[in-house]
């Protein structure tokens, strides 16, 4: 039995990156812009299947060899009872109820599997209480309070991953598993007028950082010829601000505008989710940060 502990619904550093390989290895059944469905492997279930399978094979061999011998120990209560018990262990492991969790991103709900004598149940993700279960992250069952293991270690980026995924007003988490759905998800949020995020963040959470570039074709073409990702230049500007004691209340307050000549142009408190552009060479820049795409040198333009 695990212990629940209050962890806030906040996107902390650093959410797990869900690659296709990781998703396959962790029994993720569905991962897209609508649902995240997984069926965590159970050590107890696996143990029952292995032990029950081995003992059942031994029992079948014993039955095959001695069933025609009336004086065989096969008919003694301990042996016959042991064979029946081995079959019971095997069936119990094979027929154990599914531990499937369903995270509905659009509705903001989590569906729990059957647990003890409780049927499957659905609650808002905002009501989920994360907890510790033998080193694993778990969700406390809403009725029993027992922590049921989910995907990921307790002290890892998995809780932040869940919070980020379940905030439908933010980009999908990092990882090639979600790449086919990023543009669709972005266009949905754009059509809705980019609603305010549901859960707060303590790290940068933008489409560009997560894997989707909202920019003109000219911008994307220029970006493809630049060595580093946008987040690299963002970090350089962020470090510059820290060094010069320029306050950035929230990581998302430092916004990329576009590229001017060979410089990335960042501005504090500029509108978010605006298409990145190539600024004309004769643009007069004020109150912004420039980061050289070759040297990563940062300077501030008043």
């Amino acid at each position: 039995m695990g212990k629940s502990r209050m962890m806030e619904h906040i996107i902390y550093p650093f959410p797990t990156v869900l690659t296709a390989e990781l998703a396959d290895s962790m029994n993720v059944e569905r991962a897209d812009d609508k649902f995240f469905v997984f069926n965590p492997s159970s050590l107890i279930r696996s143990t029952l299947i292995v032990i029950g399978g081995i003992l059942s094979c031994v029992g079948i061999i014993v039955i095959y060899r001695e069933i025609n011998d009336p004086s065989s120990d096969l008919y003694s209560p301990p042996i016959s009872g042991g064979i029946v018990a081995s079959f019971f262990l095997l069936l119990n492991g094979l027929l154990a109820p599914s531990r499937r969790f369903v995270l509905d991103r659009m509705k903001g709900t989590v569906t729990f599997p059957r647990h003890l004598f409780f049927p499957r149940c659905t609650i808002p993700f905002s009501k989920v209480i994360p907890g510790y279960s033998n080193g694993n992250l778990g969700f406390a069952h809403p009725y029993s309070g027992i922590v049921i293991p989910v995907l990921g270690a307790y002290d890892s980026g998995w809780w932040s991953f869940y919070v980020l995924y379940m905030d439908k007003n933010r980009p999908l988490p990092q990882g090639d598993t979600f790449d086919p759905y990023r543009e669709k998800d972005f266009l949905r949020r754009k059509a809705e007028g980019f609603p305010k995020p549901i859960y707060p963040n303590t790290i940068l959470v933008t489409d560009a950082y997560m894997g989707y570039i909202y920019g003109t074709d000219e911008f994307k073409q220029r970006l493809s010829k630049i060595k580093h990702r946008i987040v690299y230049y963002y970090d350089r500007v962020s470090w510059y601000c820290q060094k010069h004691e320029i306050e950035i209340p929230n990581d998302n307050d430092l916004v990329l505008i576009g590229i001017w000549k060979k410089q990335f142009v960042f501005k504090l408190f500029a509108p978010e989710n605006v298409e990145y552009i190539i600024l004309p060479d004769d643009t007069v820049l004020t109150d912004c940060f420039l980061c050289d795409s070759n040297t990563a040198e940062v300077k501030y333009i008043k």
Side-chain angles (χ1 to χ4, degrees):
M1 183 183 299
K3 298 179 180 180
S4 61
R5 190 183 83 179
M6 290 301 295
M7 289 194 297
E8 296 183 81
H9 289 64
I10 296 175
I11 305 168
Y12 298 104
F14 290 96
T16 294
V17 177
L18 189 67
T19 63
E21 182 180 4
L22 180 61
D24 289 341
S25 67
M26 302 195 78
N27 294 329
V28 174
E29 298 179 3
R30 178 175 176 179
D32 54 33
D33 58 322
K34 305 294 184 185
F35 294 95
F36 186 66
V37 183
F38 57 90
N39 193 353
S41 59
S42 170
L43 179 60
I44 295 177
R45 181 179 183 181
S46 300
T47 301
L48 290 176
I49 292 175
V50 171
I51 295 177
I54 293 174
L55 294 179
S56 296
C57 289
V58 173
I60 291 173
I61 293 173
V62 171
I63 292 172
Y64 178 77
R65 289 182 175 180
E66 303 190 24
I67 192 171
N68 294 322
D69 183 0
S71 62
S72 172
D73 291 336
L74 172 65
Y75 297 102
S76 65
I79 300 299
S80 59
I83 293 175
V84 172
S86 67
F87 284 115
F88 177 79
L89 287 176
L90 178 60
L91 289 174
N92 191 46
L94 292 174
L95 301 178
S98 169
R99 300 175 65 242
R100 181 179 291 105
F101 282 84
V102 178
L103 277 63
D104 187 326
R105 190 167 187 252
M106 294 298 102
K107 293 182 179 179
T109 60
V110 177
T111 299
F112 283 72
R114 285 174 52 197
H115 171 66
L116 300 178
F117 49 82
F118 298 108
R120 290 175 65 83
C121 60
T122 301
I123 65 170
F125 177 74
S126 60
K127 301 296 184 182
V128 169
I129 300 176
Y132 177 91
S133 178
N134 297 322
N136 294 319
L137 175 65
F139 293 166
H141 193 276
Y143 300 133
S144 71
I146 295 175
V147 176
I148 305 176
V150 292
L151 300 184
Y154 182 73
D155 294 320
S156 68
W158 275 99
W159 174 243
S160 290
F161 169 88
Y162 291 124
V163 177
L164 175 56
Y165 179 81
M166 292 302 290
D167 191 337
K168 66 178 182 179
N169 297 337
R170 291 190 184 274
L172 290 163
Q174 287 180 305
D176 55 15
T177 299
F178 294 116
D179 285 350
Y181 313 101
R182 295 193 188 281
E183 183 172 20
K184 176 185 174 184
D185 184 71
F186 176 85
L187 294 176
R188 173 189 61 79
R189 289 183 282 117
K190 181 181 178 181
E192 295 172 357
F194 295 111
K196 183 180 179 180
I198 300 171
Y199 303 112
N201 61 299
T202 61
I203 61 168
L204 178 66
V205 181
T206 65
D207 284 276
Y209 182 53
M210 296 301 157
Y212 176 72
I213 304 299
Y214 178 49
T216 63
D217 291 339
E218 185 182 8
F219 178 88
K220 293 178 181 178
Q221 184 177 13
R222 182 81 66 88
L223 185 65
S224 67
K225 299 177 182 179
I226 295 176
K227 180 179 179 180
H228 300 290
R229 296 177 59 209
I230 289 175
V231 67
Y232 172 79
Y233 301 100
Y234 173 91
D235 287 340
R236 299 294 298 181
V237 176
S238 180
W239 293 336
Y240 176 92
C241 291
Q242 292 180 26
K243 181 179 179 181
H244 292 82
E245 298 182 346
I246 300 173
E247 184 180 3
I248 304 177
N250 184 282
D251 288 316
N252 280 40
D253 290 336
L254 182 61
V255 180
L256 174 64
I257 305 300
I259 297 176
W260 177 71
K261 296 182 179 180
K262 294 183 179 180
Q263 308 278 339
F264 282 94
V265 182
F266 291 87
K267 192 176 182 68
L268 278 173
F269 310 116
E272 294 185 61
N273 301 307
V274 176
E275 191 175 32
Y276 301 139
I277 63 173
I278 299 296
L279 285 74
D281 290 352
D282 60 354
T283 301
V284 178
L285 300 174
T286 59
D287 190 25
C288 63
F289 301 92
L290 302 182
C291 186
D292 192 281
S293 60
N294 293 324
T295 65
E297 180 183 356
V298 179
K299 59 183 178 181
Y300 175 68
I301 305 296
K302 293 183 179 181

